Amino acid sequence: MTEQGINELAARRDEQWEEVIELCRRYGYLTQETGQSATIMKNASQIKSRGLEMYIFLQVQTCGAYPQPGECEGEEDVL
């Protein structure tokens, strides 16, 4: 593959960035986002490493809400 081909492939992949980040937000994987980079973790790992209260706080900060709208309709709030 030529350098130009690699650059074109990279550009096509990068066109999906916003979609990928939105999915990470929606499902709670996003733990940090700065400019053109992001850190993601599985939800269970976030809870284990940070504790439940910090997990919920960071979900609201990085993902906009916890739980996401429509995610837990009809479930009793236990917190």
Side-chain angles (χ1 to χ4, degrees):
M1 183 175 251
T2 66
E3 183 176 343
Q4 180 180 348
I6 293 169
N7 287 327
E8 288 171 1
L9 177 59
R12 284 196 309 270
R13 287 179 172 182
D14 287 348
E15 289 174 2
Q16 309 310 312
W17 180 256
E18 288 303 319
E19 179 183 359
V20 170
I21 293 300
E22 184 55 37
L23 286 170
C24 289
R25 278 190 200 105
R26 179 176 177 189
Y27 293 109
Y29 299 128
L30 188 63
T31 60
Q32 184 177 14
E33 179 183 8
T34 54
Q36 300 295 313
S37 65
T39 304
I40 62 173
M41 291 175 68
K42 290 175 74 175
N43 287 278
S45 296
Q46 293 178 55
I47 294 169
K48 184 177 181 180
S49 68
R50 296 179 167 154
L52 190 59
E53 287 184 25
M54 182 58 75
Y55 165 75
I56 293 169
F57 173 77
L58 292 172
Q59 287 289 299
V60 172
Q61 296 299 308
T62 59
C63 301
Y66 184 81
Q68 291 292 305
E71 190 172 31
C72 297
E73 290 181 18
E75 293 186 24
E76 183 178 332
D77 187 4
V78 295
L79 297 176

